[in-house]
């Protein structure tokens, strides 16, 4: 019995020491300054691979990089002996590194340095080793000379052309080509084997040629060597007879293969026969591992990637043609070089602590474990009383300074070895703060903020936070202290302003750091701009009054149409408004006021509409009153074709607001009668449109006018128009296959709608077959939108396609999708369950995920069951009602919150797939830590005399820990003076009454009684004092407790399906559930969407930390179908594809880790499937008429000009008149004045962009007034003629003006003719 007891004692000791290792191991931060100061044994950071093949033409570099403090020294061994680098002139070692460089530029050969090398890095605290590096030089030998005789073969017989390349290092790549450097065509009759030979299953006449050339490409030298050409001569003396298959490779009926775990298994079967045989692969006793299988080389090669032990067994290939079949069996055995189960990790301990190094490896055969210390076998190392070797584990007890060393674990079997370095470093370091000192943090009120206090020490220091030098440690409530020392305030308030101090303490001393927290008022726009409509040339004003923190600088910026607004002279920005004078059409748009400080911002938008008043007078009342437009009328259908028709209408009254667009809607009476759909939108200045239609639809149309006020009423419907039918133009969407039982699969799809069926008697042709097996398709024709395939193998992938057909024919070829047949319950349970305390009401539960083969289906997530075993204050335990929490996705951890502080809990986990939940795991026990206590159970106050008050209370029903005392505060209820709280020093935990002496008999008091644990004060029970000789009693009425909300930050891991943690009621009869939630660390906002024909782009912003930015986008079809799209971690945009055109969707974004955090729901409509046919302007009547009028006016002007010039030539002009001045004696401007055109027109106005608009004519009546005698009629009465001649002459001689002068009145010229 004694040995058994000793064994149990040893096992218990190992378990205790394992816990000590988990708790006491110290993690050294990656702080550069700290790394330079702390002593550290050496570590190998980079090394060359074990099998190292190099190019002989280049210099050889063998890598060995390491680090440590002090910097380690490096040395090498070659073939087990010391390699003296200094004695070889061709070899050099890099400074502060162990990397070797072999220089062969001037002399020497790389082949002379082949062998096994090993690097060691050594400093005062130990020696680290690299693995053994086997250096080999690449070889590319020449092809041996040979005289190849022609290969003579009878037509229909098989033949093998041998390649037999020279052995190279690494082996060459083989391929066959002809004399024109073109590849030899290969198919299932002619193919290259794994050994490089070319196999002909049967020879044809066309195979006769003289240039079959085998080529070998050597990777390192990038050279290609060719074998002498091989000639095939085909005899045709006998007719070709059909033959049963025979195996060419491998031969016989069976063979065997040994493969190492993790490698790719290649099995080959090549058969002869006429006709050419087909090859099919099977596995005896089960199915091929299709997830890892690839069929290659025309079904002749079976490749299984990343082979594991379960891939062992018998595989056979079946070769068959119409003459018969044969099969070959290949027995596969999987061996394994060593691989890690638990690789030893570096261990940092403080003096007197416990720890362990664990080295666990597996393999086939099982590897041997050997420990070394500082490069020497541990058996030969000096004795260390604090060290004990127990197989694959080294246990350290009460370590001391000077015990630092580097340990090597070597796991080896006949197929290979593993070598790992792990050091144990004994540090004795006073606490130190790693964050910047004396920082100032500014935060907006009610926002979350963090104060950083990174620290280090050995032993691990205890960190506490204090505010304004007070003695109470900050913890719980509004405060969260993270593992790295950061203090988080969930919601900063004005009362939280002050100086915060973090103090790190261990047995060697303490260190502290201070933060100054300033809480600022938020920036808010208290008077936002409002949308306004202003007549052109009047003034517009937008208000933007802002309230902000006076200690921060405020910046107000205005945007127009989301672009920074440059302020021209007509715009004036003051403190609370933006004013625009003399507005024009260019000023119309959306104006945004953005008020921002260094911490936050706020914005508000308003729309400016510029009203252009027509020249005709409008009554003031009509100009002000606006309404939705009246319905269009007189709808008319013209120009019908098979797929289009023209719709024309007369617009209704716009009700003082111009019509901006028309919405054309349609209704069909076969599938969705009396339901109207949007077809297209037409600009408001067009009243006709060519509508693109779908086949086999009985259409009816109506039109809705839209202006700035909104949509008007619909018009009366048009007459109906029936389009002709055709074969379907599209197939169903969202085709999917999923198991509904263990041996069945349901294929579902989204059916076509009424505008997509294209003809009568619509049916669906459903086809399916097993993926990668090949064979014929199985089909079924149905009229509904689902079909069940049964029986099916368990969880097998299928190729699925659904094609639509009607009386006019089938639709296009459908796409192939992959579905899976039914699943089975998970056959294993999660293992290695562990938990970590987050705070007094929440834990982080972790477990080892199930391997895919044990899931037996698609892993949906994990179910967590937990219950309360009772308070740690009570000796008797009970089992509370069981709660169940679901963790969706493949993540193997979840936060369990809402727990009772200072209670014992048990938990267990089960995997859940599409079939259901598997078996529960073993129970895991954990205790929650202390929290702040609840209210005392009751409070009783008596006033027996005029000068005393007696208080009596009971202990809290929920102590949440060990009660350390009670605190009483009180203040008078007199309203005439300020309340001043008085505090009674903390009372012992066993005291439940207190007598207050020397009170004012005329004053009533309000008393607060709080219990206290080591975590702080709890909630107070409040009661006012009674009148004299009276008493008042307050009892705590039991109410359902709301679990404390906890927040954690954990590292995220990538998974196929993101985890969503919710809590539900268990389905077991004796189980009740409680909703458990975790407070979010951010919000989701500013969701924007933009729609295409069958897609929607969604973007958003958020305030989550990077490691928690994991989101899901949910979109709901108007028919109620809900779908979700997972977004990669860190992204805030996604494109939703495969949507239905012209359909309303509701879209929202929510957090994966915090499902209750969601954005507002946005409704968006995808573009209709019908394209809008733009009207050809060249075919419009108004356009043709306008062009004719313009042409007629141009023709009249040409005739006038011709007549004017002709009549001007009949009258001579005096030479004195040619030189007359531009201004006569009376001061009038003559007709020839050039200055008139250069003057700025009066009455013009500038827009915001400075554009000048001319509103008046350049001509003036002054230039036609009476002047001097030179401007009067001549003797022949020809004023007009003189003017014309003068004009012609000036045009001949030149004119300084860049523009033409004012023309003569054409009507007067015509009158003179």
């Amino acid at each position: 019995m004694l040995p058994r007891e000793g064994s149990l004692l040893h096992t218990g000791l190992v378990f205790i020491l394992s816990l000590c290792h988990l708790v006491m191991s110290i993690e050294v931060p990656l702080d550069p300054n700290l790394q330079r100061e702390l002593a550290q044994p050496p570590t190998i950071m980079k090394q060359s691979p074990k099998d190292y093949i190099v190019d002989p033409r280049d210099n050889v570099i063998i890598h060995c990089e390491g680090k440590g403090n002090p910097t380690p020294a490096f040395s090498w061994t070659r073939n087990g002996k010391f390699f003296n680098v200094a004695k070889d002139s061709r070899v050099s070692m890099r400074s502060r590194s162990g990397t070797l460089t072999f220089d062969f530029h001037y002399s020497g050969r790389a082949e002379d340095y082949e062998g096994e090398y090993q690097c060691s890095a050594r400093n005062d605290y130990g020696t680290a080793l690299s693995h053994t590096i086997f250096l080999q030089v690449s070889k590319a030998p020449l092809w041996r000379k040979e005289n190849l005789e022609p290969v003579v073969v009878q037509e229909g017989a098989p033949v093998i052309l041998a390649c037999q390349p020279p052995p190279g290092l690494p082996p060459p790549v083989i391929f066959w080509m002809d004399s024109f450097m073109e590849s030899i065509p290969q198919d299932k009759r002619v193919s290259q084997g794994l050994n490089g030979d070319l196999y002909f299953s049967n020879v044809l006449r066309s195979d006769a040629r003289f240039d079959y050339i085998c080529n070998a490409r050597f990777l390192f030298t990038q050279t290609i060597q060719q074998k002498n050409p091989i000639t095939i001569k085909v005899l045709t003396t006998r007719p070709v007879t059909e033959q049963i298959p025979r195996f060419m490779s491998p031969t016989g009926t069976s063979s065997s293969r040994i493969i190492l775990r993790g490698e790719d298994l290649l099995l080959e079967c090549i058969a002869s026969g006429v006709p050419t045989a087909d090859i099919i692969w099977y596995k005896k006793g089960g199915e091929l591992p299709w997830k890892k299988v690839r069929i290659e080389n025309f079904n002749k090669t079976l490749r299984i990637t990343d082979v594991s032990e379960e891939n062992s067994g018998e595989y056979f290939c079946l070769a068959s043609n119409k003459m018969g079949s044969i099969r070959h069996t290949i027995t596969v055995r999987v061996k394994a070089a060593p691989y890690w189960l638990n690789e030893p990790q570096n261990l940092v301990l403080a003096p007197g602590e416990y720890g362990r190094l664990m080295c666990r490896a597996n393999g086939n055969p099982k590897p041997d474990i050997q420990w070394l210390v500082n490069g020497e076998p541990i058996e030969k190392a000096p004795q260390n009383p604090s060290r004990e070797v127990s197989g694959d584990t080294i246990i350290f007890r009460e370590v001391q300074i000077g015990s630092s060393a580097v340990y090597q674990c070597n796991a080896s079997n006949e197929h290979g070895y593993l070598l790992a370095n792990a050091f144990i470093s004994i540090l004795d370091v006073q606490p130190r703060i790693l964050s910047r000192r004396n920082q100032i943090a500014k935060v907006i009120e009610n926002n979350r903020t963090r104060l950083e206090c990174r620290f280090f020490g050995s032993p691990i220091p205890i960190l506490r936070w204090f505010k304004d030098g007070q003695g109470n440690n900050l913890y719980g409530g509004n405060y969260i202290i993270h593992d790295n020392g950061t203090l988080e305030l969930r919601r900063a308030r004005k009362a939280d302003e002050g100086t915060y101090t973090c103090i790190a303490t261990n047995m060697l001393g303490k260190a502290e750091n201070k933060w100054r927290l300033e809480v600022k008022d938020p920036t808010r726009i208290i008077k936002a701009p409002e949308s306004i409509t202003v007549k052109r040339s009047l003034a517009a004003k937008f208000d933007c009054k802002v309230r902000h923190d006076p200690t921060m600088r405020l910046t107000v910026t205005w945007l127009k149409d989301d672009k920074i607004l440059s302020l021209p002279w007509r715009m004036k920005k003051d403190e609370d408004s933006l004013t625009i004078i003399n507005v024009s059409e260019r000023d119309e748009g959306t104006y945004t006021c953005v008020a921002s400080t260094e911490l936050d911002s706020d914005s508000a938008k308003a729309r400016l509409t510029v009203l252009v008043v027509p020249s005709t007078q409008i009554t003031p009342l009509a100009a002000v009153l606006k309404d939705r437009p009246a319905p269009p009328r007189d709808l008319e259908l013209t120009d019908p074709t098979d797929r289009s028709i023209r719709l024309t209408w007369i617009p209704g009254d716009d009700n003082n607001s111009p019509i901006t667009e028309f919405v054309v809607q349609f209704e069909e009476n076969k599938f969705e009668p009396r339901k109207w759909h949007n077809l297209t939108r037409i600009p408001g200045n067009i009243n006709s449109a060519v509508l693109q239609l779908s086949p086999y639809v009985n259409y009816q149309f109506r039109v809705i006018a839209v202006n700035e006020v909104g949509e008007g009423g619909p018009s009366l419907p048009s007459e109906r128009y029936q389009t002709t039918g055709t074969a379907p133009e599209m197939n169903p969407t969202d085709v999917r296959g999923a198991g509904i039982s263990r041996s069945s699969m349901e294929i579902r799809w989204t059916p076509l709608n009424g505008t997509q069926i294209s003809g009568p008697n619509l049916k669906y042709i459903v086809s399916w077959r097993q993926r990668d097996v090949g064979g014929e398709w199985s089909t079924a024709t149905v009229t509904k939108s689902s079909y069940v395939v049964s029986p099916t193998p368990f969880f097998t992938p299928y190729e699925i396609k659904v094609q639509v057909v009607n009386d006019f024919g089938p639709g296009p070829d459908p796409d192939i999708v992959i579905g899976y047949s039914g699943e089975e319950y998970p056959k294993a349970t999660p293992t290695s369950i562990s938990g970590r305390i987050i705070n007094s009401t929440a834990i982080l539960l972790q477990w080892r995920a199930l391997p895919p083969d044990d899931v037996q289906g698609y892993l949906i997530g994990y179910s967590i069951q937990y219950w309360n075993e009772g308070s740690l204050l009570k000796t008797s335990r009970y089992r509370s009602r069981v709660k169940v929490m679901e963790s969706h996705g493949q993540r193997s951890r979840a936060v369990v919150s809402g727990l009772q502080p200072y209670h014992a809990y048990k938990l267990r986990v089960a995997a859940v797939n599409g079939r259901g939940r598997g078996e529960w795991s073993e129970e895991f026990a954990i205790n929650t830590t202390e929290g702040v206590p609840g209210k005392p159970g009751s409070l009783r106050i008596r006033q027996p005399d005029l000068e005393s008050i007696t208080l009596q209370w009971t202990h809290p029903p929920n102590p949440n820990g060990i009660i350390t005392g009670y605190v009483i505060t009180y203040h008078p209820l007199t309203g005439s003076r300020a309340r001043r709280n008085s505090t009674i020093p903390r009372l012992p935990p066993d005291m439940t009454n207190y007598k207050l002496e020397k009170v004012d008999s005329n004053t009533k008091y309000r008393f607060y009684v709080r219990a206290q644990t080591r975590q702080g004060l709890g909630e107070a029970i409040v009661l006012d004092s009674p009148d004299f000789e009276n008493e008042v009693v307050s009892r705590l009425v039991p109410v359902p407790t709301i679990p404390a909300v906890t927040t954690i930050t954990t590292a995220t891991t990538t998974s196929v399906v993101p985890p969503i943690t919710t809590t539900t009621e268990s389905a077991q009869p004796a189980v009740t559930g409680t909703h458990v939630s975790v407070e979010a660390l951010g919000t989701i906002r500013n969701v924007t969407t933009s729609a295409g024909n069958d897609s929607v782009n969604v973007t958003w912003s958020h305030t989550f930390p990077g490691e928690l930015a994991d989101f899901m986008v949910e979109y709901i079809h108007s028919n109620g179908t809900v779908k979700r799209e997972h977004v990669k971690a860190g992204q805030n945009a996604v494109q939703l594809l495969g949507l239905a055109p012209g359909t309303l969707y509701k879209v929202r974004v929510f957090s994966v880790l915090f499902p209750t955090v969601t954005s507002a729901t946005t409704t968006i409509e995808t573009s209709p499937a019908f394209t809008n046919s733009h009207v050809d302007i060249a075919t419009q009547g108004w356009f043709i008429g306008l062009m004719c009028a313009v042409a007629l006016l141009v023709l009249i002007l040409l005739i006038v000009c011709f007549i004017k010039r002709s009549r001007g030539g009949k009258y001579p002009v005096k030479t004195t008149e040619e030189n007359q001045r531009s201004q006569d004696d009376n001061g009038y401007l003559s007709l020839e004045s050039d200055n008139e055109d250069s003057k700025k027109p009066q009455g013009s106005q500038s827009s915001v962009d400075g554009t000048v608009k001319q509103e008046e004519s350049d001509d003036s009546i002054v230039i036609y007034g009476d002047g001097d005698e030179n401007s009067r009629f001549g003797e022949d009465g020809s004023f007009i003629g003189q003017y014309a001649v003068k004009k012609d002459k000036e045009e001949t001689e030149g004119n300084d003006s860049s523009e033409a002068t004012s023309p003569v009145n054409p009507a007067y010229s015509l009158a003179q003719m």
Side-chain angles (χ1 to χ4, degrees), residues 466-488:
F466 301 92
K467 180 177 181 290
D468 295 332
Q470 296 179 358
N472 292 334
N473 179 26
L474 301 179
Y475 186 77
N478 193 38
Y479 302 106
I480 301 173
I481 300 179
H482 295 277
D483 293 341
N484 62 356
T486 297
L487 175 67
E488 179 176 344

Side-chain angles (χ1 to χ4, degrees), residues 200-489:
F200 293 78
S201 296
N202 52 78
V203 175
L204 304 179
R205 295 186 182 184
S206 57
D207 295 328
R209 58 191 303 170
F210 61 90
D211 56 351
Y212 289 96
I213 304 173
C214 181
N215 296 263
R217 180 166 62 88
F218 295 91
L219 298 180
F220 273 81
T221 60
Q222 293 298 317
T223 58
I224 297 176
Q225 297 188 26
Q226 293 184 338
K227 186 173 182 172
N228 289 339
I230 301 176
T231 300
I232 291 183
K233 295 182 178 180
V234 181
L235 302 179
T236 58
T237 56
R238 295 196 300 268
V240 177
T241 59
E242 295 180 335
Q243 305 171 19
I244 193 171
R246 294 285 186 271
F247 280 112
M248 305 171 68
S249 175
T251 57
T253 59
S254 63
S255 58
S256 63
R257 284 287 309 277
I258 295 178
I259 189 74
L260 291 183
R261 180 180 185 269
E263 297 181 353
D264 285 2
L265 172 64
L266 289 171
L267 303 179
E268 181 182 61
C269 280
I270 302 177
S272 64
V274 179
T276 304
D278 293 315
I279 307 293
I280 302 178
W281 290 91
Y282 300 92
K283 183 180 182 183
K284 185 176 181 181
E287 292 190 356
L288 295 173
W290 289 111
K291 291 184 178 181
K292 301 195 295 183
V293 165
R294 281 168 31 201
I295 306 297
E296 302 174 349
N297 198 18
F298 312 101
N299 286 7
K300 299 176 184 179
T301 303
L302 173 69
R303 179 187 294 271
I304 302 179
T305 60
D306 191 18
V307 170
S308 55
E309 286 79 356
E310 57 266 24
N311 299 133
S312 299
E314 292 186 357
Y315 297 79
F316 63 89
C317 56
L318 182 68
S320 61
N321 62 13
K322 66 180 182 179
M323 299 302 296
S325 63
I326 59 171
R327 77 175 188 175
H328 182 92
T329 302
I330 306 174
T331 302
V332 175
R333 290 183 296 169
V334 179
K335 300 292 183 179
Y339 57 92
W340 291 119
L341 298 178
N342 291 103
E343 185 176 359
Q345 304 295 323
N346 294 333
L347 189 62
V348 180
L349 300 174
E353 290 184 342
Y354 292 74
R356 67 173 179 176
L357 289 178
M358 182 179 293
C359 177
R360 291 182 179 175
N362 200 3
N364 187 6
K366 187 172 181 60
D368 296 325
I369 303 296
Q370 180 189 12
W371 285 100
L372 297 90
V373 57
N374 295 329
E376 298 292 335
I378 199 167
E379 298 83 4
K380 299 180 181 180
Q383 291 295 321
N384 186 343
S386 64
R387 179 182 66 209
E388 178 184 345
V389 180
S390 177
D392 57 10
T393 304
I394 300 180
I395 303 168
F396 298 95
R397 304 186 188 88
E398 297 183 351
V399 296
Q400 300 299 323
I401 296 292
S403 299
S404 299
V406 182
Y407 290 82
Q408 289 84 30
C409 174
N410 186 304
S412 61
N413 64 12
E414 62 189 65
H415 301 296
Y417 76 96
L418 294 172
L419 180 67
N421 291 277
F423 65 69
I424 174 172
S425 180
I426 315 302
L427 296 180
D428 197 2
V429 181
Q430 289 184 348
R432 61 181 66 187
I433 303 298
L434 305 179
S435 302
R436 283 198 304 123
R437 301 275 180 170
N438 302 324
Q439 299 185 67
I440 298 177
K442 298 178 182 179
V443 63
I444 297 298
E445 187 176 11
N446 294 324
N447 280 8
R448 186 184 301 268
T449 188
R450 294 185 178 189
L451 308 181
E452 183 185 72
C453 185
R454 295 184 297 110
F455 66 97
F456 177 74
S458 180
I460 299 176
I462 298 174
L463 185 80
R464 294 182 176 88
W465 280 89
F466 301 92
K467 180 177 181 290
D468 295 332
Q470 296 179 358
N472 292 334
N473 179 26
L474 301 179
Y475 186 77
N478 193 38
Y479 302 106
I480 301 173
I481 300 179
H482 295 277
D483 293 341
N484 62 356
T486 297
L487 175 67
E488 179 176 344
L489 281 75

